[in-house]
């Protein structure tokens, strides 16, 4: 039998709704009835397959989406959360107890960095930050009480590429879990297939792709997902970031067009990256051969989806970056807004927005310029025209 790629696995997953509905009906219930009182007891104890108890635990609509995500990722199971941060924080708090240690990449989304740096000390969980491209540094950071290694597959906003197979080796040799945030590269990279134990997503971004909701996902084996929703000590069950089933139903429909969207985001981003380079701008895009992670990414990726929709350009100062972003918005290139994975182009100055939680000295240390503009390139049908607008804005900016 032909081995199907991630998108084809989703395409061939048939989920029959209650009434034969092709989009499974939305289960608009927080609680569920039992005909026999004993079945309720069994369900509480996790012994009653197919029965639903309460929607903070599992809801049928959330289960359809979780099943589709697990199918995409190639994991045994998944659980969907009310935000990407909920997926990250529940995963970490499930794996670590007070007195434990974890290794995290420094170059991650600012909210994740703030959780590791500012929030975990409350629970006496120690974090060592490392450069995700330096495998020796990662190896040397392992301690007897280390529980996990955390990285983004493509880092935000520096677009470093994590060597997931090598990180997985380090994790396996030391009995650690490798947790990978794949928000920037769904379908392009398949972290679990490359060795990661747990894959987390902000579905707010590419997976949903509409910027109309906030959601997250945790893809892992049955043992981990069941531990998360254990009624007595599961972090997801007890902290309670359940996703609204109405939202789940929307995301499930949008997941089915993800493969087409990722190809167009990547096509447009590659086009802009080349044009920016020709203009002599300092541009970072993993699809360009001079990008430090280009070869590694080429060896890990599913090539049909391209190198992703995120590009960064460095204008050196925040003032220049701000001026250019305002001009681009005025010309209709897209929106000056945080977030990514939207059908329109979004741009923001990372240092003062999505990475502002990272202290300035650390931003310098990791090579994050105050003038960096991160573009989440949209689904523009005529990217040449969009580029002509950006070029005008850049030229006007230079003459200031
Ligand atoms: N992971 C990455 C890479 C992100 O960029 C973000 C948000 O920007 C998150 C996680 C957090 O996701 P959410 O905003 O859905 O909580």
């Amino acid at each position: 039998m032909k081995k199907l790629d991630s998108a084809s696995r989703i395409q061939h997953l048939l989920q029959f709704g209650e009434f034969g509905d092709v989009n499974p009906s939305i289960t608009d219930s927080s609680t569920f009835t039992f005909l026999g009182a004993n079945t309720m007891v069994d369900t509480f104890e996790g012994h009653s397959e197919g029965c639903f108890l309460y929607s903070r635990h599992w809801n049928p609509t959330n289960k359809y989406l979780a099943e589709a995500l697990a199918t995409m990722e190639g994991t045994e199971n998944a659980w969907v959360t009310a935000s990407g941060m909920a997926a990250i924080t529940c995963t970490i708090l499930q794996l670590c107890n007070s007195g434990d240690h974890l290794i995290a990449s420094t170059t991650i989304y600012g909210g994740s960095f703030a959780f590791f740096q500012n929030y975990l000390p409350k629970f006496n969980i120690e974090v060592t930050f490392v450069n995700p491209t330096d495998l020796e540094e990662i190896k040397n950071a392992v301690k007897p009480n280390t529980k996990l290694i955390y990285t983004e597959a493509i880092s935000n906003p520096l677009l470093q590429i994590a060597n997931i197979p090598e990180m997985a080796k380090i994790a396996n040799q030391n009995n650690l879990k490798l947790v990978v945030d794949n928000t920037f590269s769904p379908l392009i990279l398949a972290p679990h297939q490359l060795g990661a134990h747990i894959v987390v997503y902000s579905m707010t971004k590419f997976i949903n792709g509409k910027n109309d909701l906030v959601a997250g996902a945790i893809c892992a084996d049955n043992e981990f997902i069941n531990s998360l929703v254990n009624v007595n000590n599961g972090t997801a069950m007890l902290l309670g970031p359940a996703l609204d089933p109405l939202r789940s139903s929307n995301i499930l429909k949008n997941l089915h067009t993800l493969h087409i969207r990722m190809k167009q985001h990547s096509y447009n981003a590659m086009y802009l990256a080349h044009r920016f380079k020709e203009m002599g701008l300092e541009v970072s895009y993993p699809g360009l051969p001079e990008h430090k992670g280009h070869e590694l990414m080429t060896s890990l990726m599913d090539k049909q989806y391209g190198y992703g929709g995120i590009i960064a350009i460095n204008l050196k100062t925040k003032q220049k970056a701000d001026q250019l972003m305002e001009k681009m918005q005025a010309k209709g290139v897209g929106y000056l807004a945080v977030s990514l994975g939207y059908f329109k182009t979004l741009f923001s100055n990372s240092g003062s927005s999505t990475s502002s939680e990272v202290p300035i000295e650390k931003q310098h240390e990791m090579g994050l310029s105050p003038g960096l503009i991160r573009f989440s390139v949209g689904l523009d049908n005529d990217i040449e025209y969009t580029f002509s607008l950006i070029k005008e804005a850049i030229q006007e900016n230079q003459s200031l």
Side-chain angles (χ1 to χ4, degrees):
M1 269 269 270
K2 187 173 179 205
K3 192 170 180 290
L4 294 180
D5 63 48
S6 325
S8 302
R9 290 200 298 272
I10 301 172
Q11 184 71 20
H12 295 289
L13 172 72
L14 300 186
Q15 296 178 309
F16 295 93
E18 206 180 351
F19 302 103
D21 12 354
V22 291
N23 290 313
S25 12
I26 300 168
T27 302
D28 200 16
S29 282
S30 47
T31 194
F32 300 84
T33 55
F34 292 87
L35 291 180
N38 273 340
T39 320
M40 183 186 270
V41 177
D42 288 347
T43 308
F44 253 95
E45 289 170 359
H47 303 315
S48 204
E49 189 57 33
C51 286
F52 290 88
L53 178 71
Y54 187 62
S55 284
R56 173 158 44 81
H57 183 245
W58 273 113
N59 168 287
T61 314
N62 289 359
K63 194 141 191 138
Y64 283 124
L65 176 59
E67 185 189 24
L69 291 164
T71 301
M72 171 177 88
E73 237 16 73
T75 51
E76 282 177 352
N77 210 338
W79 202 73
V80 292
T81 56
S83 70
M85 281 311 294
I88 296 164
T89 55
C90 285
T91 298
I92 302 300
L93 293 175
Q94 185 66 28
L95 292 172
C96 293
N97 292 315
S98 174
D100 286 339
H101 167 254
L102 66 91
I103 300 167
S105 156
T106 321
T107 47
I108 48 177
Y109 164 60
S112 310
F113 180 87
F115 173 69
F116 289 131
Q117 167 97 340
N118 307 332
Y119 205 84
L120 285 181
K122 282 216 250 195
F123 299 97
N124 189 28
I125 296 169
E126 193 201 346
V127 181
T128 302
F129 287 101
V130 293
N131 173 349
T133 63
D134 187 342
L135 294 169
E136 277 310 300
E137 195 183 338
I138 298 172
K139 266 185 214 159
N140 293 336
V142 177
K143 299 183 184 191
N145 57 343
T146 308
K147 286 287 151 36
L148 65 99
I149 303 172
Y150 179 89
T151 190
E152 289 175 2
I154 302 185
S155 77
N156 182 5
L158 292 178
L159 310 181
Q160 291 161 308
I161 310 301
N163 192 335
I164 298 171
E166 287 302 317
M167 284 183 172
K169 267 191 210 155
I170 301 173
N172 291 334
Q173 278 158 4
N174 294 282
N175 204 19
L176 315 177
K177 296 287 184 210
L178 174 63
V179 181
V180 175
D181 179 340
N182 199 35
T183 297
F184 275 32
S185 41
L187 298 179
I188 299 175
L189 293 170
H192 178 66
Q193 309 298 308
L194 296 169
H197 303 98
I198 300 170
V199 185
V200 291
Y201 280 104
S202 166
M203 295 199 290
T204 317
K205 314 290 164 28
F206 289 105
I207 289 187
N208 184 57
K210 303 279 156 60
N211 250 322
D212 53 0
L213 57 82
V214 173
I218 304 166
C219 303
D221 59 16
N222 281 327
E223 191 187 343
F224 185 70
I225 299 297
N226 290 338
S227 72
L228 271 176
V229 294
N230 183 296
V231 293
N232 293 307
N233 51 24
T235 311
M237 184 61 184
L238 300 179
L239 298 189
L243 181 58
D244 181 341
L246 292 167
R247 295 310 202 177
S248 270
S249 161
N250 286 335
I251 299 168
L252 181 57
K253 282 172 276 193
N254 292 333
L255 184 67
H256 284 271
T257 58
L258 180 63
H259 59 298
I260 303 170
R261 291 186 279 114
M262 290 316 290
K263 287 175 190 172
Q264 187 70 18
H265 283 299
S266 292
Y267 175 85
N268 286 349
M270 184 67 115
Y271 179 88
L272 289 185
H274 280 294
R275 296 288 89 81
F276 288 158
K277 195 173 121 180
E278 277 163 21
M279 288 184 75
L281 291 171
E282 190 183 318
V283 45
S284 169
Y285 183 61
L288 295 177
E290 59 271 31
H291 185 279
K292 278 195 186 129
H294 176 74
E295 259 175 52
L296 175 62
M297 178 144 176
T298 307
S299 71
L300 300 180
M301 69 193 275
D302 185 339
K303 295 186 184 53
Q304 59 181 315
Y305 302 111
Y307 290 85
I310 311 294
I311 302 186
I313 59 171
N314 181 8
L315 296 195
K316 306 282 190 294
T317 68
K318 178 174 172 342
Q319 195 200 6
K320 278 198 176 147
D322 287 350
Q323 278 167 355
L324 179 61
M325 291 190 299
E326 285 167 12
K327 276 194 192 303
M328 288 193 297
Q329 180 162 255
K331 287 180 186 292
V333 171
Y335 295 114
L336 197 178
V338 295
S339 203
L340 52 114
Y342 186 36
F343 47 75
K344 288 192 186 277
T345 297
L346 302 176
F347 31 83
S348 55
N349 172 236
S350 300
S352 62
S353 61
T354 48
S355 294
S356 60
E357 297 90 340
V358 181
I360 291 289
E361 323 76 66
K362 226 161 184 129
Q363 290 190 19
H364 284 312
E365 217 177 277
M366 64 199 237
L368 173 54
S369 159
L372 186 121
I373 301 178
R374 185 190 74 186
F375 286 79
S376 167
V377 183
L379 299 175
D380 313 35
N381 192 42
D382 187 349
I383 193 67
E384 249 180 272
Y385 173 68
T386 306
F387 173 66
S388 70
L389 298 177
I390 301 175
K391 194 172 170 186
E392 268 174 35
I394 292 173
Q395 284 164 348
E396 286 170 27
N397 212 31
Q398 277 163 350
S399 62
L400 282 177

